[in-house]
Amino acid sequence: MAISRRKFFLTSALAGAGLSLAPGFSFAHSKRSNFQKTVRLGFIGVGRQAMGLLNRFMQLPEVEVTAGADVYEVKRTRFEERVKAAYAARGTQPLSLKVYEDYRDLLASNEVDAVVIASPDHWHAKMAIDACRAKKDIYLEKPLTFTVYEGQQLVKAVRQNGTVLAVGSMQRSAVNFQTAAAHVQKGSLGQIKEVLVHVGENPFPKPFDLNPEAVPAGLDWQAWLGPLPELPYHPNLNPPISLDPVENEKLWAAWRWFKETGGGLMTDWGAHMIDVAQWGLNQDRNGPVEVIPPMGENPLTYRFENGTPMKITSFDEGRQGVKFIGEKGWIKVSRGNFESSLSEISLEKKDENFNYTQHYIDFIESIQRRKDPIVPVEIGHSTCTSCTIGNIAKELNRPLSWDPIAQNFGDDFEANTKLHYTYQNGISLS
């Protein structure tokens, strides 16, 4: 299979450098064991991010796209048209294709084996837990959840239902990030003195200082809000599109930049770059023990049990990325880039070293073979948790002690109240 050849290439690239494939490939089998050749995918949330994922997954011969769901009618129509056009370009048509306003109707369909969830963050946990209970496998966009408590409940749901859940932290499937993490774990840099992680700022304290606008026709705004408290509609929260003339989203939805609706760049980019930092430091399924908010010229800083600091700050050219600094030298990695101060550590700049195709292949192969994907739910949760508690430390503006095993702030009542919020509109995770 092309899948196996691709994975062989990735493994060989690292082995040639005297390294093993960086951790993440776990073969914990679920209750289902029979090989499944074709995977029928449904998409929940079909905005801008989902359109990119749709293009990726439709390139895989083992995938049949059969359904989509969204609270915005025009986006459901666009999804349906794009899927049909893609199949027509192949000289065929989908065996089954339905669109739904309510994602629960999609989950009830017998024509869907797995779902791609690309909804706003505040819906991730509820939709994914419902998918687990419906026995659908899941590709869930990062960050895993909106709150730490949601992540805890999602981990339980995945394991209790034997679900394959892959997190959209696709950098783990690129050779440049794999090579960086593997070298750090191997000790090529010696003892790590500090890790610099550039993600950016935010979240802002309130959604918008803009005048509310009328909800466009075909958008169920209350369904979009779901468990959130009442907020007025603004087009930046759910960017409008047009089919005639064709006009797609002009911006990434701004819900991610505000505390009431997202985690800002701390969770948006942190789910990628903090993820790589913790991966290299062997902190998967674990995390820091202290979070110190920005003070004067000192940036937001995490400390792990061994004392290693991870600083959230820009460095060098300011590109989002990670810089591991050890006693022997440094490795710097970002999208499309790999550099080291050590001449013996290098990576040839080939397309296959920097692309993410393997991440989508790995999800489908994980479903077929009933195994954990390269980024299972526990790793997505530990990464998301670190991002979120960083925001909590900044909000409270004081150092916080964190217990990564108990997943709380000990007896710090004020900080612990920030681990979740009260759902509205009768929605619950139970």
Side-chain angles (χ1 to χ4, degrees), residues 26-33 159 162 369-372:
S26 169
F27 293 92
H29 289 261
S30 73
K31 296 175 183 178
R32 293 175 285 183
S33 59
R159 295 310 174 190
R369 301 189 180 279
R370 308 313 304 168
K371 69 177 186 66
D372 270 347

Side-chain angles (χ1 to χ4, degrees), residues 1-15:
M1 295 174 62
I3 288 175
S4 299
R5 289 196 297 272
R6 174 69 180 166
K7 184 170 289 184
F8 174 79
F9 171 82
L10 291 169
T11 307
S12 298
L14 292 176

Side-chain angles (χ1 to χ4, degrees), residues 373-389:
I374 190 170
V375 190
V377 65
E378 290 87 358
I379 292 177
H381 176 51
S382 61
T383 294
C384 185
T385 294
S386 292
C387 300
T388 303
I389 64 175

Side-chain angles (χ1 to χ4, degrees), residues 41 43 53-61 63 65 82-84 86-87 90:
L41 278 186
F43 283 71
L53 293 172
L54 177 66
N55 291 338
R56 294 280 191 172
F57 279 111
M58 289 200 71
Q59 293 174 19
L60 306 183
V63 168
V65 176
R82 287 200 181 184
V83 173
K84 289 180 177 178
Y87 280 109
R90 302 177 188 175

Side-chain angles (χ1 to χ4, degrees), residues 122-148:
H122 67 275
W123 267 113
H124 281 191
K126 175 61 176 172
M127 289 176 170
I129 289 172
D130 285 348
C132 289
R133 292 169 178 160
K135 305 302 180 184
K136 310 296 186 186
D137 296 316
I138 305 161
Y139 183 95
L140 180 59
E141 261 304 325
K142 57 80 202 164
L144 187 79
T145 56
F146 190 36
T147 72
V148 173

